Amino acid sequence: HAAPPERFNFAAHLMALNAGRAAKPAYIDDRGTLSYGRLADGIRRFAGALAALDIRREERVLLALPDTRDWPVAFLGALYAGVVPVAVNTLLTAADYAYMLGHCRAQAIITSESLVPAFREAMAATAGNEVRHVIVASETDEPARLGPGFHDLRDLLAAATPRADAAHTARDDIAFWLYSSGSTGKPKGTVHTHANPWWTAELYGREVLRLAESDIVFSAAKLFFAYGLGNGLTFPLSVGATVVLLPGRPTPDAVFRRLVDHKPTVFYGVPTLFASMLASPDAPAADQVALRLCASAGEALPKEIGERFTQRYGAKILDGIGSTEMLHIFLSNRADDLRYGSTGKPVPGYELELRGDDGRPVPRGEVGDLYIKGPSAALMYWTNREKSCCTFVGEWLKSGDKYFQDADGYYVYAGRSDDMLKVSGLYVSPFEVEAALIEHPSVLEAAVIGKVDHDQLVKTKAFVVLKGGLLPTPELEAEIKAFVKERLAPFKYPRYLEFVKELPKTATGKIQRFKLREREAN
Ligand code: 3SK
């Protein structure tokens, strides 16, 4: 692949690409449809509105909107104007927003009515708050008129002079940020260029997913996550496809309703969601949906979940791994080369290395730290030199995940670097034990950590969520332990097992093992 041209604006690129599709639906949300023509008009108007508010090129604006048709208008409108949207999770606390507003020095906030109280609190708590305008998307048919400094989004768009030409940005200019949260420390402002979404759309969206104009796509992951941004914006708009949006929580029922009503051909989920969908008594029949393909990320997809889903719906789930720093998936299965239980092979255009503690590549079959080289890597973490240096190592990026390659070259997930356990001097991947646990017919979900025993030796401890209606009993505990012992090397089986109602998870559905470790330590 040749890079995009030196002078490049990603929003203008998408608009040029879809200029012949003015009447085609680009987005469908709960309130209606937005055609490609109206999307382009909205982008031009939003860019005009930012200029009218004196928000200038390279300044940052915080974007905290649910997944509605307003999201792509605001995100791409900002890009078109050369203004840098910082897309953030809508489920954060006022304290989180205060940190982000101060850190990115946002000049404006684009949000929805129900988040205004959190942002009022956050602005009051932000030292050196630079916010000059708050643009509010109304959640009713009435405009959101909230006082000086607040603007109703629809009013603003209606009054704006559409901007005729995009800002003269270069492909390596800063286009947008996403915050990446690690298991410790403050969220990191991950800075992406205009070229980066182009690369992910070409290398993964087009080549791996084979997205086409005829596709209707639906992502359970929200647009403010790197995973959701590619799934529901940069990939489909790069081929003129249609996107179904879900503004609320992606419960199995909400997902089923959209699969049945809008018949998406491509669905992007996370392993826990696929598992809950399969466990639901309300799952639609195969002939009620029109899926041709699914993608999964966030954490490794258990083999059994992938197999059962394909058996039920015919569609394969392509398990892959990406990161906020690489913007999207760089290692993935493919429809014509899929091995459930593995994360597949590198997406063409990315190079991977598994390195040992000495920094050298490990022999095939051994677990190593995953490093990635590829064209969509972020530039840096904003004002965080220390963490930038540890992650962006020359042309390579350290993912923080452990992997090994099987005899056929497929990459198999072995846990996060910091979640790995060493039991009796041997590495135990919590994921491997979890995968064995959820093969048990009574187990819905499981998380595994290391627990220090009375001898100060690390043993495996499992937290287990049972399938609906099942009651924990000592017999069931013994049965599950024996079940795992039969399947894995004996030192890996969970000596300790605790039944819990739910597991702590990030908003993307990743199990927060560190929270379980903290709980165990106290
Ligand atoms: O969780 C992932 O694997 C992922 C995939 C795509 C983009 C971002 C992330 C974190």
Side-chain angles (χ1 to χ4, degrees):
H1 272 279
E6 161 67 34
R7 196 181 129 197
F8 183 71
N9 180 287
F10 186 68
H13 158 74
L14 293 180
M15 287 154 80
L17 207 86
N18 293 305
R21 297 190 177 99
K24 183 176 179 182
Y27 283 95
I28 302 171
D29 71 11
D30 289 352
R31 294 169 89 185
T33 294
L34 183 70
S35 66
Y36 271 102
R38 282 183 44 225
L39 172 63
D41 180 56
I43 292 169
R44 289 199 170 88
R45 283 177 181 276
F46 193 79
L50 290 176
L53 296 176
D54 194 32
I55 310 277
R56 302 166 61 137
R57 190 176 162 170
E58 293 182 9
E59 289 185 331
R60 265 99 47 203
V61 293
L62 200 84
L63 175 60
L65 283 175
D67 278 18
T68 67
R69 290 166 294 162
D70 295 331
W71 208 103
V73 168
F75 181 81
L76 292 172
L79 256 64
Y80 191 75
V83 170
V84 178
V86 178
V88 301
N89 192 328
T90 52
L91 301 172
L92 301 179
T93 62
D96 294 319
Y97 292 135
Y99 171 75
M100 289 168 174
L101 288 174
H103 180 244
C104 76
R105 296 190 286 275
Q107 302 296 307
I109 299 168
I110 304 131
T111 191
S112 63
E113 251 174 328
S114 51
L115 288 175
V116 167
F119 276 108
R120 282 192 199 273
E121 197 183 326
M123 284 189 286
T126 306
N129 173 16
E130 294 187 25
V131 176
R132 291 181 279 135
H133 302 282
V134 183
I135 301 172
V136 183
S138 163
E139 286 159 10
T140 65
D141 290 334
E142 294 302 308
R145 302 230 166 91
L146 297 161
F150 286 79
H151 312 269
D152 176 76
L153 175 64
R154 248 173 294 160
D155 283 356
L156 205 65
L157 290 173
T161 307
R163 181 173 169 149
D165 296 314
H168 283 216
T169 48
R171 66 181 172 218
D172 291 340
D173 264 332
I174 294 174
F176 61 95
W177 300 11
L178 301 170
Y179 274 99
S180 158
S181 47
S183 49
T184 53
K186 293 281 186 207
K188 294 161 285 185
T190 311
V191 178
H192 282 286
T193 66
H194 279 268
N196 289 357
W198 183 89
W199 281 112
T200 56
E202 290 301 309
L203 300 177
Y204 177 77
R206 218 184 273 272
E207 297 294 328
V208 175
L209 298 177
R210 302 246 163 236
L211 282 189
E213 184 178 8
S214 53
D215 277 312
I216 301 173
V217 310
F218 171 40
S219 172
K222 301 291 174 202
L223 292 164
F224 55 73
F225 293 120
Y227 181 44
L229 180 64
N231 298 345
L233 195 154
T234 66
F235 303 168
L237 299 195
S238 294
V239 297
T242 296
V243 185
V244 175
L245 293 174
L246 163 63
R249 255 172 28 89
T251 58
D253 283 350
V255 170
F256 293 149
R257 214 170 314 126
R258 281 154 186 88
L259 293 183
V260 171
D261 291 353
H262 299 292
K263 302 275 186 287
T265 53
V266 176
F267 172 64
Y268 314 86
V270 294
T272 4
L273 178 58
F274 286 115
S276 318
M277 286 165 71
L278 285 168
S280 166
D282 302 320
D287 63 1
Q288 290 177 279
V289 306
L291 294 172
R292 73 164 178 85
L293 193 65
C294 296
S296 179
E299 61 178 334
L301 179 76
K303 184 169 185 279
E304 193 236 5
I305 301 291
E307 286 170 352
R308 282 177 47 217
F309 191 92
T310 303
Q311 248 168 31
R312 178 161 323 166
Y313 290 109
K316 293 175 179 167
I317 305 179
L318 304 189
D319 187 20
I321 182 171
S323 67
T324 306
E325 291 76 3
M326 290 308 291
L327 191 55
H328 215 274
I329 289 175
F330 46 78
L331 170 61
S332 179
N333 283 282
R334 302 175 68 112
D336 57 0
D337 187 9
L338 180 141
R339 180 167 291 188
Y340 280 134
S342 88
T343 321
K345 295 188 175 162
V347 170
Y350 294 90
E351 239 183 279
L352 303 190
E353 263 184 24
L354 299 180
R355 299 186 192 166
D357 291 342
D358 59 2
R360 308 245 290 267
V362 295
R364 173 74 63 98
E366 274 186 28
V367 172
D369 286 307
L370 179 65
Y371 282 75
I372 313 118
K373 187 160 110 178
S376 62
L379 294 175
M380 62 180 145
Y381 299 130
W382 188 259
T383 59
N384 193 337
R385 190 180 177 89
E386 191 189 328
K387 289 231 160 85
S388 294
C389 290
C390 303
T391 301
F392 304 96
V393 188
E395 286 184 298
W396 292 87
L397 187 137
K398 184 176 180 184
S399 88
D401 297 287
K402 297 250 185 203
Y403 266 89
F404 68 89
Q405 253 184 306
D406 71 13
D408 302 317
Y410 294 89
Y411 283 72
V412 181
Y413 187 60
R416 287 286 302 169
S417 309
D418 46 10
D419 281 333
M420 290 294 280
L421 319 176
K422 226 170 181 191
V423 180
S424 312
L426 297 162
Y427 270 125
V428 176
S429 154
F431 183 77
E432 190 187 359
V433 185
E434 289 160 13
L437 281 161
I438 64 166
E439 276 181 38
H440 188 281
S442 302
V443 175
L444 179 67
E445 287 180 314
V448 167
I449 60 163
K451 176 183 167 74
V452 179
D453 70 8
H454 52 275
D455 288 320
Q456 298 302 303
L457 294 169
V458 175
K459 296 286 182 300
T460 314
K461 168 157 186 177
F463 294 85
V464 167
V465 181
L466 291 173
K467 286 190 179 150
L470 292 174
L471 291 176
T473 60
E475 289 72 25
L476 188 54
E477 177 181 336
E479 184 190 311
I480 294 171
K481 284 181 176 174
F483 179 87
V484 175
K485 211 169 186 177
E486 260 172 39
R487 280 162 178 75
L488 301 178
F491 70 91
K492 295 184 180 174
Y493 97 95
R495 286 326 138 84
Y496 306 103
L497 193 151
E498 188 180 331
F499 293 109
V500 289
K501 289 220 158 54
E502 57 178 14
L503 298 173
K505 291 197 190 121
T506 63
T508 31
K510 273 187 201 159
I511 296 171
Q512 293 172 305
R513 294 182 189 81
F514 75 96
K515 287 211 171 146
L516 295 170
R517 279 198 295 269
E518 276 168 15
R519 216 175 85 184
E520 217 38 55
N522 294 323

